[in-house]
Amino acid sequence: YKKRWKVELFHKTLKQNAAMAKSPAHTVCTQSNHLFIAIYSVFHPEIISIMTKLNHFALRFMIYINALKVAFQQIQQLTRCVT
């Protein structure tokens, strides 16, 4: 069961985080490119999650929060320039 759960987690990550199901590709070449990039986009955070001891979803949440902070800082700078 433990081995199977890791495979299930990989498929869930591949489907949700890498947008594997939303492939806009129609030809064999573009489909294979999308598949390669999707698998790579799951593999790279896996390395980071091993180093930080966080799962993929916690990493994605941290990236999202940091992006929101940067966007909020940029909005504050723009409002200072306008006033």
Side-chain angles (χ1 to χ4, degrees), residues 2-67:
K2 289 181 182 179
K3 290 180 183 179
R4 183 174 172 228
W5 182 250
K6 290 181 181 181
V7 172
E8 292 294 329
L9 184 60
F10 175 76
H11 285 154
K12 181 179 178 181
T13 303
L14 193 61
K15 185 177 178 184
Q16 289 182 353
N17 294 346
M20 194 64 185
K22 299 176 185 176
S23 173
H26 296 289
T27 65
V28 174
C29 183
T30 55
Q31 287 174 350
S32 63
N33 287 340
H34 184 78
L35 179 66
F36 173 76
I37 295 299
I39 291 173
Y40 180 77
S41 69
V42 172
F43 177 72
H44 189 68
E46 181 67 27
I47 294 171
I48 297 171
S49 69
I50 290 170
M51 291 175 11
T52 60
K53 306 260 192 272
L54 296 171
N55 64 15
H56 301 102
F57 301 102
L59 287 173
R60 190 171 87 175
F61 180 73
M62 287 175 50
I63 291 169
Y64 179 70
I65 292 297
N66 287 333

